[in-house]
Amino acid sequence: MHYVIVDFVVRKNSGGVLSILQDVNRYAENHPEDSFTFIVGSEDVITKASNINLILREDLQKNYFKRIFFDFFAGAKFINSLNADVVISLQNTAILGLNTPEMLYVHQPLPFERNYKFSFFKASERKMAFYQHLVGSMIKLNLRKFNHGAITVQTHWMKEELNKYSQQQIFVTRPSISNDEFKHKKIGQLGRDFFFPSTAMIYKNHKNLVEAYNGLPEEVKASHKLILTITKEEYRTLYGNISDDSYIEFTGRIPRTEVIDILSHSFLVFPSKIETLGLPLIEAMMLQRQIIASNISPVVEVTSEYDAVTYFNPDEVSSIRLALFKCLEMPPSKKKFEEKSQSDGWQEFFKNIGEIKDAK
């Protein structure tokens, strides 16, 4: 089987979307009987192997309009020449006009978010407004025209949204997390610090979390610091100046192993206003941590059966502050987290790809 994987938008510091690409890369390494051709925009995001070929298209990463032309018009001829059995697009838009079936992975929630509208008139929101309105329009148009394959999303919430734009079959498949990453970690410890691992995006809602935390009594903050994986400069760029609170730690980007280590003895705080899945939620449940999270559909879908979670309104600082207090009295989870699906998420993903290939 020859798979062609298209993801020329991901960069080395892309966060969760890079994890998706690297998960597929690891799957390829573990299946030497198949061949994989990755079309990417940055050379350092893929590990090569005897069965893994790399096509570098930096031009498509650097020029968004060239990328759109590739997706809608020029890309089909180029990719058809590679003689793939199946094409996999991991970048939210399909390559239209292919001769072979295609699995489209959609993980960008911004175009489908209705509760929050970002503005081009606010400097801190312009990037998000571009993705929500302009890129979002292209994604929706692409979904309407995509007619040869199937779609994968991470939550039922996303499936319901995409059903409004596409007639293709939609699979809901959560990415799996290896238990190896949690070996030798103590499970179910009492929480020590408040921890929010995230990238520096305005919809991650650090500002309301920081304001809620600042309102806690001094003795509470002295015992439970707040750890954020962005820099102080990134915070200022997004939200403006921040008060000098010695109990707030800005770590900047840290390795995944360190994220899991901190999470193993912390309360997970998850104030994000927009999400697809929220991988830290699953990681926290695997560690049986206490979770304080936004009451939004994707988050509730992932955590609804968990026994150590409390929700808050992400738009209200007072609601977040109350949840922080409440969490201090909440014991760790008493039951081991288990995936609803017994199969590995990526094994299921490729099984679904086999189905669309056989149905062509």
Side-chain angles (χ1 to χ4, degrees):
M1 179 85 78
H2 178 207
Y3 299 93
V4 170
I5 297 95
V6 182
D7 200 352
F8 41 73
V9 301
V10 170
R11 303 172 189 270
K12 193 172 182 179
N13 61 348
S14 294
V17 293
L18 175 61
S19 297
I20 292 171
L21 177 63
Q22 292 180 334
D23 282 345
V24 176
N25 191 177
R26 279 189 288 271
Y27 181 93
E29 291 178 297
N30 294 329
H31 290 79
E33 70 280 7
D34 295 317
S35 62
F36 298 79
T37 299
F38 286 83
I39 305 174
V40 295
S42 299
E43 191 171 10
D44 54 2
V45 296
I46 290 296
T47 302
K48 298 178 184 178
S50 59
N51 67 324
I52 298 175
N53 182 38
L54 175 66
I55 297 177
L56 186 62
R57 292 296 304 267
E58 293 177 314
D59 58 318
L60 296 174
Q61 184 174 92
K62 294 176 180 177
N63 190 318
Y64 181 76
F65 297 102
K66 191 171 183 178
R67 175 206 161 174
I68 291 297
F69 187 76
F70 185 91
D71 287 349
F72 281 82
F73 305 106
K77 181 179 179 180
F78 175 75
I79 292 179
N80 285 336
S81 71
L82 300 176
N83 298 315
D85 292 299
V86 178
V87 174
I88 302 170
S89 173
L90 298 177
Q91 54 187 27
N92 299 300
T93 50
I95 309 300
L96 302 179
L98 297 180
N99 296 333
T100 53
E102 179 177 8
M103 179 64 83
L104 170 60
Y105 199 113
V106 181
H107 47 79
Q108 174 56 266
L110 280 177
F112 311 102
E113 175 58 46
R114 290 176 168 77
N115 294 323
Y116 301 96
K117 298 297 181 183
F118 295 101
S119 172
F120 288 102
F121 298 103
K122 296 180 180 178
S124 61
E125 296 186 7
R126 281 178 195 143
K127 183 178 179 180
M128 295 300 102
F130 175 76
Y131 280 104
Q132 185 173 47
H133 303 298
L134 298 183
V135 176
S137 296
M138 291 297 101
I139 290 175
K140 291 171 182 177
L141 178 61
N142 186 272
L143 286 169
R144 291 189 177 99
K145 290 183 174 295
F146 176 48
N147 60 7
H148 191 191
I151 301 169
T152 293
V153 296
Q154 297 176 342
T155 61
H156 290 278
W157 173 83
M158 278 288 284
K159 179 178 180 178
E160 291 176 6
E161 289 300 317
L162 265 62
N163 273 329
K164 299 170 184 175
Y165 303 95
S166 176
Q167 299 300 313
Q168 301 303 105
Q169 183 176 10
I170 300 177
F171 297 99
V172 179
T173 306
R174 286 211 311 225
S176 295
I177 301 175
S178 171
N179 286 319
D180 294 341
E181 297 176 295
F182 299 87
K183 285 181 179 178
H184 313 302
K185 299 297 180 187
K186 291 185 178 180
I187 304 297
Q189 295 188 86
L190 290 173
R192 188 168 71 212
D193 299 317
F194 297 112
F195 182 41
F196 180 33
S198 74
T199 51
M201 299 291 186
I202 196 165
Y203 60 82
K204 293 295 184 178
N205 201 25
H206 298 85
K207 185 174 186 291
N208 281 358
L209 171 59
V210 166
E211 289 184 5
Y213 180 80
N214 282 335
L216 295 176
E218 195 76 9
E219 61 271 19
V220 172
K221 293 191 291 183
S223 301
H224 308 283
K225 65 182 177 183
L226 173 63
I227 304 174
L228 305 174
T229 58
I230 63 173
T231 66
K232 197 174 271 193
E233 290 70 30
E234 286 174 327
Y235 185 96
R236 288 195 184 98
T237 298
L238 290 173
Y239 309 108
N241 289 331
I242 180 174
S243 60
D244 290 326
D245 192 323
S246 60
Y247 301 120
I248 300 178
E249 181 178 341
F250 293 87
T251 68
R253 189 70 57 87
I254 57 177
R256 179 176 168 80
T257 53
E258 190 173 345
V259 168
I260 293 173
D261 184 57
I262 296 173
L263 187 57
S264 69
H265 53 71
S266 300
F267 302 98
L268 174 67
V269 191
F270 205 76
S272 183
K273 295 183 179 184
I274 301 172
E275 281 296 335
T276 48
L277 177 73
L279 201 56
L281 296 169
I282 297 178
E283 293 168 340
M285 290 189 288
M286 293 181 74
L287 291 166
Q288 296 177 226
R289 308 306 311 129
Q290 302 100 314
I291 298 173
I292 320 132
S294 294
N295 189 2
I296 59 175
S297 296
V299 170
V300 174
E301 179 178 330
V302 172
T303 60
S304 60
E305 297 181 12
Y306 192 58
D307 63 343
V309 59
T310 186
Y311 302 108
F312 55 75
N313 182 341
D315 290 317
E316 294 183 3
V317 171
S318 60
S319 178
I320 301 174
R321 185 181 301 119
L322 182 62
L324 293 174
F325 267 120
K326 185 176 180 180
C327 191
L328 294 175
E329 305 298 324
M330 182 168 53
S333 173
K334 293 183 173 63
K335 61 181 182 180
K336 182 179 178 181
F337 171 75
E338 294 181 359
E339 287 278 13
K340 293 180 180 179
S341 172
Q342 297 303 307
S343 63
D344 176 87
W346 291 110
Q347 293 285 357
E348 186 177 345
F349 176 76
F350 278 89
K351 173 179 172 289
N352 295 338
I353 288 175
E355 290 183 15
I356 68 170
K357 176 185 176 295
D358 293 340
K360 71 175 181 178

